[in-house]
Amino acid sequence: IPESVTSIGSEVFSECDNLTSVTIPGSVTSIDFGSFEYCDNLCSVTIEEGVTGIGERAFGCCDKLSSITLPQSLTYIDDAAFATCYSLDSITIPANVTSFGVLVFAECTGLKTITFEGNGCKLHENFFQNVHATAYYPAGNPTWTESVMQNYGGTITWVAYTPEPEPTEPEPTEPEPTEPE
């Protein structure tokens, strides 16, 4: 998808069975309703920094979707965005995502690991419908309470993790002066 594209329209790639991978550039701000729904052979999706929203059923029923990278710029994931993505086995939800729809990961029966990087928030009761997974949340974050850590229609084991510190660039050093020979 070229950098000149600013939005992925509703159902624009729906049922594109020959599509196996896609990179969505940061120039795109939203991925609309059903944009990639029923792409039966879509295996890998990379969404670059700049994208803020994933619309309803955007990647729903992508049976072979096993790898998706979400950007830190993402703020919402709408209804059933990844529902019935049977091959998806792990996903990391960036810290800035504060709004979730219903049934987001419903029937993702291959999903085993979900890592939340941000604050805890109450999810819809069927958010994880029929999912049996481990959900990781940041240790020491007081927003992750017992009322937030529920099963949401699946069987979820909640585990605290210690986030890795942001990598820092080493300070540049001046080269030692050398004497001319």
Side-chain angles (χ1 to χ4, degrees):
I1 298 173
E3 291 285 335
S4 59
V5 174
T6 58
S7 123
I8 308 292
S10 295
E11 300 177 326
V12 70
F13 294 105
S14 181
E15 299 184 43
C16 287
D17 290 338
N18 291 328
L19 188 62
T20 59
S21 69
V22 65
T23 298
I24 300 170
S27 60
V28 170
T29 56
S30 65
I31 303 166
D32 293 341
F33 172 87
S35 296
F36 295 91
E37 190 175 31
Y38 296 109
C39 289
D40 291 338
N41 292 304
L42 183 61
C43 297
S44 172
V45 174
T46 300
I47 303 173
E48 295 180 346
E49 286 299 325
V51 177
T52 59
I54 298 176
E56 183 178 344
R57 295 183 6 215
F59 297 96
C61 300
C62 292
D63 297 349
K64 293 182 182 170
L65 182 60
S66 61
S67 171
I68 185 155
T69 303
L70 302 177
Q72 290 299 318
S73 57
L74 196 64
T75 60
Y76 72 90
I77 301 173
D78 211 343
D79 299 348
F82 300 102
T84 64
C85 290
Y86 303 122
S87 298
L88 188 63
D89 67 348
S90 69
I91 193 160
T92 298
I93 308 297
N96 291 325
V97 179
T98 57
S99 177
F100 297 96
V102 300
L103 302 165
V104 172
F105 294 105
E107 303 299 327
C108 290
T109 54
L111 190 58
K112 300 298 174 222
T113 305
I114 307 102
T115 303
F116 289 91
E117 294 181 334
N119 290 335
C121 64
K122 197 83 168 145
L123 304 171
H124 187 271
E125 66 184 44
N126 289 317
F127 188 82
F128 289 122
Q129 181 179 317
N130 203 28
V131 171
H132 304 280
T134 301
Y136 294 92
Y137 64 95
N141 182 324
T143 64
W144 288 96
T145 63
E146 197 172 301
S147 67
V148 169
M149 294 182 288
Q150 301 294 316
N151 282 324
Y152 300 108
T155 305
I156 307 299
T157 303
W158 293 90
V159 176
Y161 74 95
T162 303
E164 291 189 26
E166 292 292 320
T168 58
E169 299 259 338
E171 291 290 320
T173 57
E174 293 290 322
E176 296 279 329
T178 57
E179 292 187 29
E181 292 185 21

